[in-house]
Amino acid sequence: MHDGTTQAESATYTIEDYVRVEAESTIKHEFYGGVIRAMAGGATEHSVEDYVQIEQSSSVKHEFHNGQVLAMAEGTQDHARFAMELAFQVRAQLAGRSCAAYSSDLRVRVAATGLITYPDLSVFCASPVADSEADARTMIRGQSSRPVRMVTASH
């Protein structure tokens, strides 16, 4: 389950990762303590609109949490294998239910916390609803009384 810690907060990037992100993006980033953060006009606090703009102009996925835009870590071979196995197990558990599982290609916003991320696996037991504050590509979690699960695979 997602525990509120963003993938970017637990990731450690190298200076080479930072240089690659900077080269691929039209947005400036800062690198400190193994974390890459997007910068918007030198501001450290970002709006959801800033986040969407950064996402649209970058080839790297980012998370948004508490006004911070953080570059997400690239997956490892072990992580990819574990996430796939998890998806197979969840799919089997959902058989015959009105819930659907989605991969990390789906961007999700958690209504209760404002976190916007790409969880390894999301389960919606109702049709996902587009987030009107972010954009149509972001689905919002927590709009219905039916539970939604987000899972970040770790090994």
Side-chain angles (χ1 to χ4, degrees):
M1 301 298 156
H2 199 281
D3 64 3
T5 303
T6 63
Q7 284 183 340
E9 288 173 340
S10 61
T12 302
Y13 290 95
T14 65
I15 192 67
E16 291 82 13
D17 295 327
Y18 168 72
V19 169
R20 181 181 49 77
V21 167
E22 277 294 290
E24 294 176 356
S25 178
T26 59
I27 304 295
K28 293 289 182 194
H29 293 78
E30 62 183 352
F31 177 73
Y32 179 76
V35 175
I36 300 172
R37 288 193 172 101
M39 299 171 61
T44 56
E45 182 94 3
H46 298 279
S47 68
V48 172
E49 293 78 20
D50 293 338
Y51 167 75
V52 171
Q53 186 177 35
I54 290 167
E55 278 288 279
Q56 290 172 346
S57 65
S58 178
S59 63
V60 177
K61 290 180 179 179
H62 295 81
E63 291 182 317
F64 177 82
H65 192 246
N66 293 331
Q68 298 295 308
V69 178
L70 304 167
M72 292 181 68
E74 292 182 1
T76 64
Q77 183 178 5
D78 287 340
H79 180 266
R81 186 178 63 246
F82 183 76
M84 184 62 72
E85 181 60 32
L86 180 65
F88 288 138
Q89 295 295 324
V90 168
R91 183 173 182 228
Q93 293 296 315
L94 293 177
R97 298 182 186 191
S98 61
C99 300
Y102 297 86
S103 74
S104 62
D105 292 332
L106 183 68
R107 188 168 57 207
V108 176
R109 182 175 189 176
V110 181
T113 65
L115 171 67
I116 303 175
T117 189
Y118 296 85
D120 292 322
L121 180 69
S122 300
V123 176
F124 286 82
C125 293
S127 295
V129 176
D131 183 347
S132 60
E133 186 180 357
D135 65 2
R137 290 188 50 231
T138 305
M139 299 299 114
I140 192 157
R141 172 189 179 249
Q143 293 299 328
S144 72
S145 60
R146 300 196 68 190
V148 178
R149 300 286 184 226
M150 294 186 342
V151 178
T152 300
S154 59
H155 47 275

